[in-house]
Every structure is written in structure tokens, then in C-alpha cells.
Amino acid sequence: MNLAAKITTGVAVLVVGGLVALAVPTVSGAYSEMSSWAIFQPTEEPTVEPASAEDDPIGKKMIDELGDGYVYVGNGTAIPKGSPAGCEDPAWLNLGGMSASLSGDLVDRGGRDLAAGTAGLDDDGRIVTYTVAPGDALYAIGDRFCIANALTIATLNHTRTIQPGEVLLLHPDGSIPWIPYFNPDDAPGGYQQIPYQLAVEAMSAAAHADDLDAMRTIFADDLSSLFPNPAHAEVIAQALDAGDLDVLRQMFA
């Protein structure tokens, strides 16, 4: 029996370039210590992503079918081992809805051409950020840290291009909501994407400049009205009211 026949009815199977993904609901992971976001009352409680295929029935079925040449990275996705080359257990960035999480662990394989910047560590010694060096490229950054979907780093950080000196988030805290970059997850057809994107980019720049007053102004004047679901805007309003820049810097990485 093939993989599609084994998976529960209603779950679609996608195979693209060796990557196998199941169209299952997106959930957020929790791979970091709980942040101060716990003091807020988000409209949707973050869901914990199983850490491995053994903890996820869908993941176990996939690996049983595909074999040891694949690794399960959560959210119904399995990818080939050794991609990037030399990475036995690649990491994968999961973005969806109002959540961002990392499946797997980041490893620093050392500076190299096009990825010569500096890794930033948290108090537990885990890689969480990367400071861009001149000439860096996303695919090389992904290769250095064994991130299989390296281009997603730009989307996670609310940008289309990376610049020298920019501090990129690589390991999002799955307990903190993340604001979608291109448009709200429930945007209707014909949604005006550009005003939303510009407002999100402005919020990101203000967050990294530690300018809470500017963030509150941008949100009130430009961004809050662009969410089809007012409850999603309220999540941001709570973070702004609390004034927690650590939380806001991830929401608008």
C-alpha cells in the first residue's frame, strides 16, 4: 500500500523535488523557553508541534514508508537527509497562520563564502540569530546552519532582501505569535497586499530600533485596520500595550 493510501482520508500528499509534504493544518512548535508572551491572552493558544516522527502518527507513517533516507520536520513534511549537503538532520522553518517555529536543531558548520557573518546564541547556547556580513546569500546561510528551506529565512524576517549588519532571526520561539509578511492568513481575494506589507516592514524596522512609540503610531494609523479578523489585530495591540520589545521583535522579526 502506498503512502497516500495509508494516510487518513482527507489529507493530501504532495511530492516536490524529493520533499514530501502532507496538506495538514499548520500548527506552531515550542522549541524555546516560554517567553513573557505567557502573560497575555492570545485569541488562539499556541499548539505544540510533536518533536519527532515517533511523536506524530502522520510522521511515523511517512518515515515508515519513505525509509531512513528521510527526516520528519513536522507539519506533515518529510525531507531528504543530507539536504543541505552534509546535514544528516536538517532543520526546517515552519510558517503558517500567525505562528512560526523551527523543527530540528541548528548547527553552525562555520563561516564560509556568502555566509561569513556571526551567529547569536541564547542563554542556553542555542543559535537563535545571525548577523549578515557583506556579500551573504540566503542559500549559503541555510547551508551553514543546516536549514533546508533557507529562502524562508527572508519571509520569517519580513523582508525580500538581506543587508549587511541586519540581525536575522533563525530560531523563532513557537510560543510567541508571528505576523505574516505577505498578507494576513485569512485575507480575501483581491486583498490590497502592498499597504499591508509596507506597514509590516515599518513595524519591523521600528521594533529593531527599539522605538515602541513609532510602533504604536504605525499600528494605529496604518496596520490595525488591515486585518480582516479584528482578533488578530488585538493580539498585536496586547503586545504593544505591554510594551515588551522582545516579544514585538519576534512578532515583526
Side-chain angles (χ1 to χ4, degrees):
M1 184 179 296
N2 63 26
L3 181 62
K6 287 185 177 181
I7 303 302
T8 304
T9 302
V11 178
V13 179
L14 307 174
V15 183
V16 182
L19 179 149
V20 180
L22 302 178
V24 297
T26 301
V27 294
S28 64
Y31 294 90
S32 305
E33 296 295 327
M34 287 296 291
S35 71
S36 58
W37 178 252
I39 69 174
F40 303 139
Q41 299 296 321
T43 56
E44 297 178 3
E45 185 176 348
T47 305
V48 176
E49 174 71 18
S52 70
E54 294 302 317
D55 300 320
D56 186 325
I58 291 177
K60 189 174 188 308
K61 287 176 181 287
M62 293 181 76
I63 298 304
D64 286 347
E65 176 71 21
L66 295 167
D68 290 340
Y70 283 77
V71 59
Y72 185 68
V73 292
N75 289 347
T77 303
I79 62 177
K81 290 182 177 179
S83 177
C87 297
E88 180 69 12
D89 294 308
W92 186 266
L93 288 164
N94 295 298
L95 306 182
M98 298 248 316
S99 69
S101 63
L102 179 79
S103 294
D105 296 317
L106 298 178
V107 296
D108 188 351
R109 300 197 291 168
R112 61 199 60 205
D113 289 344
L114 309 183
T118 305
L121 309 180
D122 66 9
D123 292 339
D124 296 320
R126 294 175 300 189
I127 300 163
V128 291
T129 63
Y130 174 79
T131 302
V132 179
D136 277 0
L138 286 172
Y139 78 88
I141 296 170
D143 183 79
R144 173 173 168 176
F145 296 103
C146 286
I147 301 172
N149 57 339
L151 296 183
T152 305
I153 296 170
T155 303
L156 171 64
N157 286 274
H158 300 96
T159 187
R160 293 179 182 272
T161 60
I162 58 175
Q163 304 294 331
E166 184 175 1
V167 179
L168 300 174
L169 178 65
L170 298 184
H171 190 154
D173 181 341
S175 72
I176 300 175
W178 173 81
I179 306 306
Y181 177 39
F182 294 106
N183 51 255
D185 63 308
D186 55 353
Y191 181 80
Q192 296 298 307
Q193 182 185 64
I194 298 303
Y196 172 87
Q197 258 190 4
L198 291 175
V200 167
E201 289 173 354
M203 289 286 281
S204 177
H208 284 282
D210 295 339
D211 194 338
L212 187 59
D213 289 339
M215 294 191 76
R216 288 170 172 159
T217 299
I218 295 163
F219 178 72
D221 293 349
D222 302 317
L223 183 58
S224 61
S225 63
L226 297 178
F227 285 92
N229 184 348
H232 292 169
E234 180 59 25
V235 171
I236 302 172
Q238 289 181 39
L240 289 169
D241 288 345
D244 191 325
L245 282 164
D246 288 336
V247 167
L248 290 163
R249 276 191 293 267
Q250 168 156 316
M251 294 177 78
F252 295 95

